[in-house]
Structures are given as C-alpha cells and as structure tokens.
Amino acid sequence: DHFSAQFDERMQDESYATAIAASQVVHFLARIPPFSFLPEEELQSLAPEIRRVFFPRDARVFIQGETRVDGLYIIQQGAAERFSVDDQQKKLAGVLGEGEMFGGISLLVNDMLAVRSLRTIEDTTFLKLPQQLFFDLCRRHEAFSEFFTDAFGKRMLDHSYAALIAKSRAALIAKSRAGPAEPLALLNQPVAGICSRRLVACAPDLPIRAAAQLMSRSAVSCILVRGTDGGPAGIVTDNDLRVKVVAEGLDVGRPVADIMSAPLVVISESAPISEALMAMVQRRIKHLAVTDPRGQVVGLMTHQDMMAAQGDSPLMIMSEVAAAADIPALARQQGRLPGMVQGLIRAGTPARHINRVITAISEAVLKRVIELTLEAEGPAPARFVFMILGSEGRKEQTLKTDQDNALVYEDLAPEAEGPVQAYFLRFAESVCSALDRCGYVFCHAEVMARNPKLCQPLRVWKRRFTDWIHAAEAEDLLYSSIFFDFRGGWGDAELIGELRDHLFRSLVGWSGFFRHLTQNALLYKPPIGFLRNFVVEPRGEHRNKFDIKRAMLPIVDYARIYALKHGVAETNTLERISQLQQQGLISAAEAGEVEQSYSFLMQLRLARQVAAIIDEGRGPDNYINPRELSGIEQRLLKEIFTRIGSLQTRMSFDFTGEP
C-alpha cells in the first residue's frame, strides 16, 4: 500500500507537470502566426503531441537538399541561421529567433527535403510539430496552409491580420479611464442601423423657393434632385440655401438644379459607420446618400445622425471647434482628442483614417484661431496663406506634435512691404501663441510663421526653395525635408499652387540634390540588428525602447524623394505611394508592402501615445518597448524593418549608384 501510494502520488505529479507543460505550449503558440489563427481548442489538442528538441550551439540541424524534414520546428529559445549553398558559396537567408519556424515550405512543396540549411548559433530549444499533424492542420485550415505558401507582403495586414492587430492594440489600452466603451462599438456597426429611410426628392426645374418650402414642410435638412433617368442626380442642403442663395442674393425663382451639389457622395448601407465618418470628415460634408446592394439610393445619413449616435465623435468635436467663442474653448475641445483616438483604435479604425481625423480637427482649430485673430487684428492688408509643414503638411498628425508652419503673402511694391510684413508678424505671433495654448506647442527650432525669416512674400520663398536645391548643404537638406511637405492651411490657395509649380521647375536637372537628399535619408536605419534583434536605447529614460517615429522616417523619406523626383504633388506618404504606383514607377506589390508596413507602424505609434496620456497620466511619446508587444507584433516589426532596409537599398541604387 505504501509503494502504491507513492506510485499514485508520483503519477499525479507527472500528470500535473505534463498539464503545466502543455499549458505553456498553448500560451506560446497562441502568440505566433499561423497558430494564432487556430481555435483555442485546436491548440489544446495539439499541445500533448508537440515535443521539445534541443540542439547545442553550432549544430547542423538540416542540410539543404539532403536532410528529410520530419516536422515543423519552432524556436522556443535560442537562435539559428538559415542559409543556402550555391556553387559552394554560402548565402545567408536570415537568422531565426524565438517564435520563428523552419520546415513548412520543405514539407509542403519540396517532398519533405530541406530547401535550405539550418545551423544553430546559440543553444536552441525547438518545439517540433510532427509532419502528420502539420499536414492535417494544412488540410483543415486554409489560413494555416497559406501562411507558408503565400508571400508575407500579401498576407501581412489582410483582414485577418488587421482584426488581430486591432484586438491586440485594444488590449494594450483596455485599462484606460476614458469612459464606457459602448459608443465605440457603434463605429463597427453598419450604416443601415442609423441612416434615415425617409427621402424627399424634387424635379431639377423646381424653383429654389418651392424646393425650400418643400424641405420646410417635410422637416428635412436636404432634398434630392432627380436626374434625367429619374434617379437622384444631386442634393440641396440647408447649407446650400444659406451659402449659395441667401448670401449671394440669388434669384429664388431659378431652378433648384443650379445650386445642387453633384454628383452625390454615396456609401453602402453595409459599410461600417466609421467609414461614413471618414467620408464626412475628409470631404467636409454633412450628408451622405446610402445605397443598397444594387446601387440604388435608399436612405440618407447626416452629421446629426452620427453625432446623436456617437456622442464624443470627431464630427461633434469639429462642430464645437467651429462654434468656439475664444481660445480656452478651443483648448478644451482639443483636449478631447486622446479619448476620441482611443475609441477609434478600439474600433479597429485604420491608422490612415485616424491620422486624417486628427489632422482635420487640427485644421478646424487653426481655421477658428485665424478667424478670431482676424477679428482682433483687423482685415489682412494683402493676399496670404498660412502654410502648414511637416507631419501636418503630410496629413499625418499624431497626438505628439509641435507647430511647423510659415506664412506666404503676395509680392508687393517695396514701399508697401514694410507695413504689410509688420501686420503679418503681429498676426502670426497671435496665431502661433493661440495654437500653443490649444496644445500645439511651439517648435523648439522656431519653424513657425512668427519667425520673421518664415513670414515672407512669395518671391522670397521661391528664391529660398531654389537656394536649398542648388546648395544642398546639410542645413538645406534639413529645411527641404520639412518645407517640401507643404500645403495651405488657411488663405489663398493660388499662392501655394504657384510655389509648388516653382518647386518642381527648380528640381528639374538637379540630380545632385536627390543624391544628397538620399544620402541624408540613409542615415536613419531601422532599429534591427544583424541577428534580427531589436536595437533599443541602452540607458536613460527610454532604456530598452526604440523610437518608432525615427523607425518610420525611412518610409516617409522614400515616398518624398520619389514624389519630388517624378513631380507628384501629393504630400501624404500613402497618397504619394499610390500616385507612384499609378504612374508605373513602383509595382503594386511594392506599394502594398509599403502601405501595410507604414500603417502598422502608425497604429503602434498612436496606441503608444494614447496609453501614455490616458493610462500613465503623462505626455505622449514615441518610444516602444518591444518586450511589451505580442509575438505577432514582434514578428511583424522584424519583417517590416527588413523590408525598410530593402527600400533603402533600392533608393541608394537609384539616386547614388551604390547598393
């Protein structure tokens, strides 16, 4: 009995240890694609069949074309190099670290012969999934099989990945104090749930007065105007009546077609509400026509519908900004941004849309600040444009941003220029100070319109652009990386257009400028080492972290340099990439990889800033600790940084002639 009890106790201990080991395997694999695509019960059933296999440092695990691969090998601890041998020359294909695997392609497409050699460079423990189980998973789970046979660039941020990433980042900020999450879930609901199905329409020749009376009787804020086919061709809103009729003194007997907005901006009733929100924000409109699967207009969605459903939405904030009576009121609205961005991240909103929302709100704040300043200072004495630069100029603002702006006014006679510049310097000082009070802090390098050097007539700006291009000294390259991402924030758009035309004319034939600009851009390297380990700060406040803003710079530089070279007027990084693809200058595959990589990095960056503000009660920062990321995020980052290195190699070859 004594020995029987000891035996039972030992067996219970071994069973307990086995259960613990299996639980650890499940936890480890659940963080690694493609195992992260599998149901939890599938992982639970796999765990007892997976074995740990140890190899000491410098062991040849597989030999290319010779060794049979008997399973999928996942590194649990350690590192190994994967390489090929061609003409007796060793070519390193990459270094595998924790969570990375070997053998999938060999099993699926190479008759279970190793397609490359594998050698450990540290003492390494693998988790081995037997080949029979591997093949069974591939048969039953298409996403699992495609992970090994499809290119990373195609699968990296497809819908499955995007959803997984959104959930992962939401988990990072789930403990925030921003309030209830119920309104946030609304963003993923279809438009059909909140749009109005009540449509009021009229003939195109109906007099404006009669159309306004019909709107009043029907208690609607807009009316659809029928086209020749009987379907809606345009829309007339309350705002159209105010701006196009009342303000202009237009004859109300004219046909309503004369003032309609056309063509209609439409959205599918199955589209998520977040997509409708982005359309309204980006186009600065308050009405969307809602269509059914056949493309027929079946409803209308207004900004009132959105605000009533959402509460603390971008449209609500922009509405409050437009109505703000003073600078403190504007500052209060700007302070709502972190909570709003957190909600958008939780809802899985793409990073580019979040950037656009932040930028749109910033522009609304700038517009209201300038309106209040003009009321205080009096009308401007000349045509001018308040020029925005840097990240805001690229429509890529985040929650951590300072001011980058300048002022351009029309060329004047010499005797008139002194008083005019004096006015604009007072004006710019007021605007920049107000923006600082609203949360857009002063630029430490004084790249602001209040700087007399940056408050100049158009001819001075043209000469300055030309000098930067022709001299191409270190300081000139710094200025060009900031100022060449410019667009109009408020004022006369013709001045911006004239300056941009001058910029592209000045760039023609100056290959040396692009060579120097590229050499300067190559100084920024992605934070990943030769052994695919993250390069982090070794000491100080940001110890064990890397600056994700700096990590993104090579993509921004890549898009800027090729856009300037080929006359692409867009300033947004992803729009530049899209234009380059449309012109046939980069392939669709390369454009897709760049877009996916940039979007993922921006998503991480925004989530980090929200966490700093809401969770930690501090100012936003751009520092990421890779150890706090999930396994899939770490893997994605490594792949992205590798691809950034490839982009820099191409850029170097194209503009410097060096690989």
Side-chain angles (χ1 to χ4, degrees):
D1 290 343
H2 173 72
F3 288 111
S4 176
Q6 283 189 324
F7 178 77
D8 290 341
E9 183 178 348
R10 186 171 70 249
M11 290 299 293
Q12 289 173 359
D13 288 343
E14 290 178 358
S15 298
Y16 179 74
T18 300
I20 292 295
S23 175
Q24 291 172 342
V25 168
V26 170
H27 178 73
F28 180 78
L29 293 181
R31 299 183 298 119
I32 303 169
F35 292 95
S36 56
F37 300 157
L38 301 176
E40 184 176 353
E41 56 270 21
E42 187 82 75
L43 293 179
Q44 295 283 359
S45 65
L46 283 177
E49 307 299 326
I50 291 176
R51 296 290 177 263
R52 285 186 174 87
V53 183
F54 173 80
F55 289 91
R57 179 178 179 177
D58 204 30
R60 284 287 186 94
V61 184
F62 295 102
I63 301 175
Q64 173 186 328
E66 297 181 16
T67 312
R68 303 285 293 182
V69 178
D70 58 348
L72 183 69
Y73 285 70
I74 308 116
I75 296 180
Q76 186 179 34
Q77 187 174 12
E81 63 174 6
R82 183 180 55 196
F83 61 92
S84 60
V85 178
D86 296 320
D87 297 327
Q88 298 184 338
Q89 294 292 317
K90 177 181 175 180
K91 294 182 180 179
L92 184 65
V95 174
L96 304 181
E98 179 183 324
E100 296 182 292
M101 56 200 76
F102 182 94
I105 297 298
S106 303
L107 289 166
L108 287 172
V109 301
N110 202 46
D111 197 28
M112 294 187 287
L113 277 179
V115 295
R116 288 192 176 97
S117 297
L118 188 71
R119 182 182 70 87
T120 58
I121 56 177
E122 299 176 7
D123 288 352
T124 303
T125 300
F126 293 89
L127 295 180
K128 176 188 170 184
L129 175 68
Q131 61 184 23
Q132 295 87 349
L133 289 179
F134 174 79
F135 287 129
D136 181 55
L137 288 174
C138 288
R139 280 192 297 269
R140 292 188 294 107
H141 298 279
E142 184 179 2
F144 185 89
S145 175
E146 286 182 350
F147 179 87
F148 298 97
T149 57
D150 200 10
F152 179 86
K154 288 177 61 181
R155 70 174 185 264
M156 181 176 65
L157 283 175
D158 64 8
H159 296 302
S160 298
Y161 266 77
L164 187 58
I165 290 165
K167 291 177 184 177
S168 176
R169 301 318 304 151
L172 177 70
I173 57 178
K175 296 180 181 179
S176 69
R177 304 181 298 275
E182 287 79 2
L184 306 177
L186 177 76
L187 290 170
N188 281 332
Q189 299 302 310
V191 165
I194 67 170
C195 73
S196 170
R197 302 285 173 166
R198 184 164 175 254
L199 301 177
V200 178
C202 69
D205 58 354
L206 186 71
I208 294 173
R209 178 189 293 107
Q213 291 170 345
L214 179 57
M215 290 169 61
S216 179
R217 288 196 305 273
S218 304
V220 295
S221 62
C222 63
I223 188 170
L224 295 172
V225 181
R226 300 189 192 95
T228 55
D229 61 353
I235 189 171
V236 172
T237 68
D238 283 340
N239 189 62
D240 290 325
L241 295 175
R242 288 193 302 270
V243 175
K244 298 177 182 179
V245 181
V246 177
E248 297 295 328
L250 192 68
D251 180 7
V252 294
R254 294 179 61 173
V256 72
D258 288 355
I259 64 167
M260 72 177 182
S261 298
L264 279 175
V265 180
V266 301
I267 192 164
S268 168
E269 63 181 354
S270 62
I273 291 173
S274 61
E275 187 175 322
L277 170 64
M278 293 308 115
M280 288 185 180
V281 169
Q282 292 177 16
R283 293 174 177 264
R284 298 176 181 271
I285 58 176
K286 298 181 179 180
H287 298 77
L288 289 173
V290 179
T291 58
D292 64 13
R294 298 172 299 165
Q296 302 296 312
V297 174
V298 294
L300 284 168
M301 185 171 184
T302 70
H303 75 300
Q304 287 97 341
D305 297 329
M306 184 80 71
M307 289 190 291
Q310 273 201 84
D312 197 20
S313 72
L315 286 172
M316 176 67 80
I317 293 177
M318 291 178 69
S319 177
E320 296 287 346
V321 164
D326 51 30
I327 302 304
L330 283 174
R332 287 194 295 272
Q333 297 307 317
Q334 201 277 342
R336 296 165 66 184
L337 269 177
M340 181 206 71
V341 171
Q342 182 195 43
L344 294 174
I345 293 174
R346 279 182 173 180
T349 306
R352 64 182 181 275
H353 287 169
I354 299 176
N355 286 142
R356 292 298 181 84
V357 167
I358 296 173
T359 300
I361 291 174
S362 299
E363 290 177 358
V365 171
L366 173 63
K367 179 178 184 291
R368 189 59 185 141
V369 163
I370 289 179
E371 290 172 347
L372 293 172
T373 304
L374 287 172
E375 290 175 10
E377 296 287 341
R383 293 188 303 125
F384 78 99
V385 62
F386 197 86
M387 189 163 66
I388 49 181
L389 315 165
S391 61
E392 188 176 3
R394 294 192 303 273
K395 306 173 193 173
E396 295 165 5
Q397 271 195 299
T398 66
L399 297 175
K400 180 176 175 56
T401 184
D402 60 3
Q403 293 184 47
D404 284 317
N405 50 55
L407 194 144
V408 184
Y409 56 89
E410 65 179 318
D411 293 329
L412 302 167
E415 62 272 14
E417 193 160 304
V420 169
Q421 188 183 44
Y423 169 91
F424 282 125
L425 281 174
R426 290 196 309 273
F427 170 84
E429 178 64 41
S430 296
V431 170
C432 292
S433 296
L435 290 173
D436 178 68
R437 291 166 61 193
C438 289
Y440 304 100
V441 299
F442 289 132
C443 172
H444 70 277
E446 282 295 316
V447 181
M448 292 179 290
R450 71 176 190 169
N451 181 343
K453 294 180 180 179
L454 305 183
C455 182
Q456 294 290 335
L458 180 61
R459 69 174 186 279
V460 173
W461 280 106
K462 288 181 177 179
R463 184 172 66 247
R464 188 169 288 158
F465 275 28
T466 301
D467 291 343
W468 290 340
I469 292 168
H470 292 180
E473 300 292 338
E475 188 175 14
D476 302 315
L477 296 172
L478 174 62
Y479 284 142
S480 64
S481 67
I482 298 173
F483 286 86
F484 288 1
D485 292 343
F486 69 93
R487 60 188 182 90
W490 195 96
D492 195 321
E494 289 186 7
L495 296 172
I496 287 292
E498 195 171 338
L499 185 58
R500 197 175 306 282
D501 289 342
H502 174 80
L503 168 63
F504 285 123
R505 287 195 302 270
S506 301
L507 287 169
V508 175
W510 286 90
S511 58
F513 169 77
F514 289 103
R515 182 175 65 255
H516 292 308
L517 196 61
T518 300
Q519 290 170 340
N520 189 64
L522 294 176
L523 296 176
Y524 298 100
K525 299 295 183 183
I528 190 168
F530 177 73
L531 298 180
R532 288 176 62 86
N533 57 308
F534 293 109
V535 177
V536 296
E537 297 286 336
R539 62 185 67 85
E541 179 186 359
H542 303 298
R543 185 171 179 265
N544 294 327
K545 300 177 182 179
F546 68 86
D547 186 342
I548 195 166
K549 179 182 178 180
R550 288 178 63 89
M552 297 172 70
L553 281 178
I555 299 180
V556 174
D557 290 333
Y558 172 86
R560 179 192 300 116
I561 291 172
Y562 281 95
L564 291 175
K565 175 65 175 178
H566 297 287
V568 174
E570 296 287 355
T571 57
N572 177 261
T573 297
L574 296 183
E575 288 176 358
R576 281 170 164 169
I577 294 297
S578 177
Q579 288 289 319
L580 291 169
Q581 180 197 341
Q582 291 176 29
Q583 294 183 27
L585 299 168
I586 60 176
S587 68
E590 183 177 354
E593 284 189 2
V594 173
E595 178 184 353
Q596 293 159 352
S597 299
Y598 187 79
S599 297
F600 178 70
L601 293 174
M602 183 62 79
Q603 198 91 3
L604 285 182
R605 183 179 175 190
L606 289 167
R608 168 60 209 151
Q609 292 178 4
V610 168
I613 296 171
I614 295 179
D615 290 348
E616 301 167 18
R618 51 185 292 177
D621 65 62
N622 293 306
Y623 286 90
I624 300 288
N625 185 339
R627 293 181 180 178
E628 295 178 355
L629 302 177
S630 68
I632 183 174
E633 288 171 326
Q634 292 184 37
R635 180 179 173 83
L636 285 168
L637 275 179
K638 289 179 180 181
E639 294 289 351
I640 287 169
F641 291 156
T642 299
R643 275 158 175 72
I644 288 175
S646 299
L647 290 180
Q648 291 186 311
T649 298
R650 175 190 167 175
M651 191 163 57
S652 177
F653 181 80
D654 286 349
F655 293 104
T656 72
E658 299 176 2

